[in-house]
Amino acid sequence: MCGIVGYFGPSQNSVEIVLEGLKRLEYRGYDSAGVSFIDEHNVLQNYKKAGKLDNLKIELKGKNLIARACIGHTRWATHGGVTDENAHPHHNDILSIIHNGIIENANDLKKELMSHGVKFKSETDSESFLELVTFELRKGKPILESISDSFKRIRGNSAFVILYPKTGEIFAIKRGAPLVCGINDITSEALVSSDPYALAGIVHKLYFPEDEVIVHLSGGNKNLVNFYELDLTKTTRYLSKKQDMSVEVSEKGEYEHFMLKEIHEQPELIRNLTQYYFAGEGREALEKVALYKPNRIYLSACGTAAYAGLVVRDYLEGINRIPANVELASEFRYRDPILKTGDVGIFVSQSGETADTLAAQSLCKKAGVKTLSIVNVDGSTLFRDCDDNLLIRAGVEIGVASTKAFTQQALTGRLMSAAMAGDLKDEAKKVKLTGKFALLAERIDRLLVQSDIIKSVAESIYNKKGFFYTGRGAYFPIALEGALKLKEIAYVHAEGYAAGELKHGPIALIDEEMVNIALVGPELFEKTVSNVQEIKARKGIIVSIGPRNNEELMDLSDYYIPLDFEGLEELSPLYVNVVNQLLAYYMAKFKGTDIDKPRNLAKSVTVE
Ligand code: AGP
């Protein structure tokens, strides 16, 4: 997902404000960055550079940045390579635009415009919108009508922000992509962004426009922000909410990477979660969910969130005996599933903006199925689209490789399962579960203090040819998640596999250069150990994560990471998962990759 930010107000350092907003969003997409602004002589200035935001800042050094209106963009390339020319903003001598999403009919639009003599400078789809609006303006249409008529012709999910030097104003519009605007009516400032996080601490009122609503930042005239339908009539199709000014802008602090910081934040977040849901603001939301009586549950998500969904499915089937299946949202949305009244759709997401997950939710909603989110970002599109929501309370997650969000998604699912089982009325059960959460937090705290053993294992294996993560039962989702972490940040090939499946083919890959990270929980212990023996017999390298003081496992393993599972029961897989988070982190560190901003990735995939 690209980061988009626009500012219009009395302050003359609009460029600095936009750059700060881009910095907060940089982890969402970071192939290139750029700004457009209207300088003190009302001239449109544009600067954009491939690479990280710092490259743009170097480009801006020494330039006159006095401006009241500015738009900025950090890119995650969809159409066109990572070059200065393909970076946003896209501009001509009449206006400048930034874009998040995909214009599916860009080629047709470009051909039509080129037949009228329009010349394109970039390989991007985004530039076709710039030239479409410009084409309408050149016919003499006012800006609002030009934007409306152009947007009606765009197909696909997109959000645009437009800077119009003639009036010095900013406009925005979206369909199926995140867009939020905010105002500070004390300072008469108005901003727009793809993410509320960019506006935190600057605005104290947020507006979430619905699809196909034109947003107009008028910069201190009558209303700081105006909303129009495509027929140019005023509209109230937006949600508004107060934004508390205490900004939670995450900093790395003493940690070398956000990912390591976020791994270390987990114990405290775990302790706070039961407090929030059993005795805090989350109580009401959980009590609402306690009333659910689903016949079947479809959990739908992408990536790490889907693996957290697998953990939650095990709780729902194991504890609640509710039939539940996990559906990859990118498949589910096209599968034409057989949804029945009484089914419930649960959507797991950190950002709440993942295009495929949003589409899966919309499919369920249209089928009359009740929809519930397990989501991190309050006010995100998924949060607003679902009937009910359970916030995972992970705080801002900057690292592109999700860590604390996975743990909080799974644990929020555990609390949801408890609520649906009627445990909220049983103090003893709540106390027991709170104790189990606290025990998990304490075990992770201890693990983090002793992470040197994990670091040394990582140093011994990080250069090996390939990795299997194997687990049975509740550890199979953890195997999938562990492999994904390693792929994402160390760029090595890793596969999560059901331990019992290896002998059905993949074991052919085992040799002295292949590492098998065996997740050996107390459950199904003997069965899992026998799978380890199969790999040992073929000279595979064995890293075991399993119960401490186990001679048999110790003898079998080249590397052995002992854990104390006592008392954790159904939370044990989440304990093992933290070992995998650290293994991936340290292996990536030894490989020297960009751990917080891995190549080719974005924090939130808002395109299909
Ligand atoms: C996880 O490490 C990845 N960054 C990715 O798989 C992510 O979990 C997936 O894109 C879903 O994102 P969401 O949770 O914001 O919906």
Side-chain angles (χ1 to χ4, degrees):
M1 160 169 151
C2 304
I4 55 180
V5 181
Y7 171 95
F8 190 10
S11 157
Q12 301 236 315
N13 66 343
S14 60
V15 178
E16 289 309 318
I17 292 169
V18 166
L19 288 171
E20 166 56 25
L22 293 180
K23 180 171 174 292
R24 295 181 189 179
L25 300 186
E26 192 187 11
Y27 66 102
R28 291 178 171 306
Y30 32 80
D31 294 324
S32 55
V35 289
S36 286
F37 55 90
I38 302 168
D39 70 13
E40 51 189 335
H41 311 297
N42 274 335
V43 175
L44 181 64
Q45 301 291 341
N46 306 280
Y47 296 91
K48 52 187 187 174
K49 284 302 281 180
K52 299 266 183 338
L53 186 57
D54 286 344
N55 293 3
L56 174 65
K57 287 181 179 172
I58 291 164
E59 182 81 0
L60 289 170
K61 265 202 182 355
K63 302 285 191 309
N64 176 355
L65 302 182
I66 293 174
R68 289 186 52 222
C70 175
I71 62 175
H73 185 274
T74 54
R75 182 175 182 233
W76 182 65
T78 53
H79 289 63
V82 179
T83 63
D84 292 356
E85 203 47 73
N86 288 339
H88 299 216
H90 293 286
H91 57 87
N92 53 33
D93 53 354
I94 292 184
L95 75 162
S96 177
I97 68 119
I98 51 180
H99 173 219
N100 176 32
I102 289 179
I103 302 175
E104 292 172 355
N105 57 330
N107 289 336
D108 297 344
L109 294 170
K110 281 184 162 183
K111 277 193 200 107
E112 181 192 319
L113 288 160
M114 283 192 281
S115 70
H116 292 287
V118 173
K119 298 218 176 338
F120 286 88
K121 295 178 274 191
S122 78
E123 304 159 324
T124 67
D125 55 338
S126 313
E127 197 181 357
S128 60
F129 185 70
L130 166 80
E131 294 304 339
L132 211 48
V133 177
T134 305
F135 188 72
E136 296 301 327
L137 283 167
R138 284 198 170 114
K139 288 178 191 169
K141 289 182 184 174
I143 181 69
L144 268 179
E145 190 179 346
S146 301
I147 292 170
S148 170
D149 290 352
S150 304
F151 192 73
K152 287 172 192 165
R153 303 194 56 199
I154 295 290
R155 279 213 316 280
N157 291 341
S158 281
F160 296 99
V161 178
I162 301 118
L163 179 61
Y164 186 46
K166 188 175 175 191
T167 60
E169 295 173 314
I170 290 177
F171 300 85
I173 188 166
K174 65 105 174 181
R175 179 194 304 117
L179 189 71
V180 60
C181 56
I183 63 165
N184 181 327
D185 49 19
I186 298 166
T187 57
S188 295
E189 294 175 313
L191 291 96
V192 63
S193 178
S194 50
D195 185 311
Y197 182 50
L199 313 183
I202 306 169
V203 302
H204 51 243
K205 188 162 187 184
L206 289 176
Y207 297 92
F208 297 90
E210 292 185 22
D211 283 355
E212 302 187 347
V213 166
I214 302 173
V215 180
H216 167 218
L217 303 191
S218 60
N221 306 335
K222 204 159 34 53
N223 297 327
L224 285 171
V225 58
N226 304 289
F227 301 91
Y228 303 93
E229 294 295 348
L230 290 179
D231 66 7
L232 309 189
T233 56
K234 283 249 179 185
T235 184
T236 56
R237 274 194 318 123
Y238 54 81
L239 284 177
S240 63
K241 65 177 272 207
K242 285 223 171 304
Q243 158 94 335
D244 93 43
M245 291 290 275
S246 64
V247 59
E248 186 215 341
V249 178
S250 187
E251 298 300 339
K252 282 189 284 198
E254 80 270 16
Y255 295 96
E256 191 181 349
H257 296 99
F258 278 111
M259 183 179 175
L260 187 61
K261 172 176 182 267
E262 289 154 7
I263 290 171
H264 280 253
E265 286 175 349
Q266 292 176 114
E268 189 187 345
L269 293 170
I270 293 168
R271 292 186 186 96
N272 293 344
L273 198 61
T274 45
Q275 167 62 26
Y276 174 77
Y277 275 112
F278 287 167
E281 291 164 53
R283 208 166 140 167
E284 194 183 320
L286 197 59
E287 283 164 359
K288 266 181 96 173
V289 168
L291 304 174
Y292 278 42
K293 298 279 175 267
N295 301 327
R296 167 171 287 281
I297 289 177
Y298 291 91
L299 291 132
S300 190
C302 299
T304 283
Y307 301 149
L310 285 169
V311 177
V312 176
R313 182 225 34 212
D314 289 345
Y315 295 144
L316 290 168
E317 293 210 334
I319 297 168
N320 304 80
R321 307 306 292 162
I322 298 173
N325 36 297
V326 175
E327 302 275 354
L328 292 174
S330 55
E331 290 296 311
F332 187 59
R333 62 182 293 191
Y334 297 114
R335 198 163 64 76
D336 194 12
I338 300 161
L339 300 170
K340 296 197 178 86
T341 315
D343 291 349
V344 166
I346 298 179
F347 304 88
V348 186
S349 177
Q350 190 286 127
S351 63
E353 300 299 349
T354 301
D356 288 318
T357 306
L358 296 178
Q361 187 275 341
S362 166
L363 172 89
C364 285
K365 192 155 191 167
K366 288 195 182 97
V369 166
K370 203 172 177 70
T371 58
L372 169 68
S373 81
I374 294 179
V375 67
N376 194 32
V377 179
D378 185 352
S380 59
T381 305
L382 182 67
F383 182 95
R384 300 198 309 277
D385 290 353
C386 282
D387 297 307
D388 296 308
N389 298 288
L390 294 176
L391 290 169
I392 68 170
R393 310 284 296 168
V396 177
E397 186 175 68
I398 301 290
V400 168
S402 189
T403 50
K404 60 178 182 173
F406 173 87
T407 301
Q408 295 295 102
Q409 284 161 352
L411 289 173
T412 302
R414 178 63 188 90
L415 294 175
M416 175 188 72
S417 150
M420 289 182 180
D423 293 356
L424 297 188
K425 304 187 192 83
D426 183 328
E427 274 316 305
K429 284 186 178 174
K430 286 199 297 187
V431 168
K432 183 167 185 284
L433 196 54
T434 303
K436 215 179 275 186
F437 274 50
L439 190 63
L440 174 65
E442 186 262 334
R443 293 281 163 76
I444 294 172
D445 262 334
R446 284 197 346 224
L447 179 70
L448 295 172
V449 169
Q450 300 156 356
S451 56
D452 283 351
I453 178 178
I454 298 169
K455 186 174 179 179
S456 67
V457 173
E459 189 168 21
S460 308
I461 63 173
Y462 77 94
N463 258 337
K464 292 305 174 191
K465 171 176 76 174
F467 298 80
F468 275 116
Y469 286 73
T470 54
R472 277 180 182 269
Y475 297 88
F476 174 43
I478 307 303
L480 295 169
E481 169 58 11
L484 176 59
K485 286 289 90 58
L486 191 60
K487 281 181 270 200
E488 281 191 288
I489 62 172
Y491 314 156
V492 295
H493 187 260
E495 276 189 77
Y497 238 90
E501 267 298 291
L502 228 54
K503 54 186 170 296
H504 298 286
I507 202 164
L509 291 171
I510 300 297
D511 61 21
E512 301 84 341
E513 281 301 302
M514 281 295 279
V515 177
N516 179 70
I517 296 169
L519 313 183
V520 191
E523 309 80 0
L524 299 170
F525 179 81
E526 284 71 25
K527 293 279 182 208
T528 310
V529 170
S530 65
N531 297 132
V532 174
Q533 283 159 341
E534 291 159 11
I535 292 162
K536 188 77 184 169
R538 289 155 181 86
K539 300 188 176 39
I541 299 166
I542 307 286
V543 176
S544 291
I545 304 169
R548 57 187 180 170
N549 310 327
N550 188 287
E551 293 296 324
E552 182 184 10
L553 199 52
M554 235 182 273
D555 294 346
L556 266 178
S557 307
D558 298 287
Y559 306 93
Y560 176 53
I561 300 169
L563 297 181
D564 174 9
F565 291 102
E566 191 55 43
L568 290 177
E569 297 170 344
E570 76 274 17
L571 304 188
S572 304
L574 302 178
Y575 183 28
V576 170
N577 186 61
V578 176
V579 178
N580 288 341
Q581 291 173 349
L582 291 167
L583 263 180
Y585 175 77
Y586 286 118
M587 282 199 255
K589 210 157 156 348
F590 287 117
K591 289 188 79 76
T593 54
D594 188 336
I595 289 174
D596 284 334
K597 297 176 199 134
R599 68 184 183 195
N600 308 343
L601 298 185
K603 182 60 183 172
S604 169
V605 185
T606 62
V607 293
E608 298 190 22

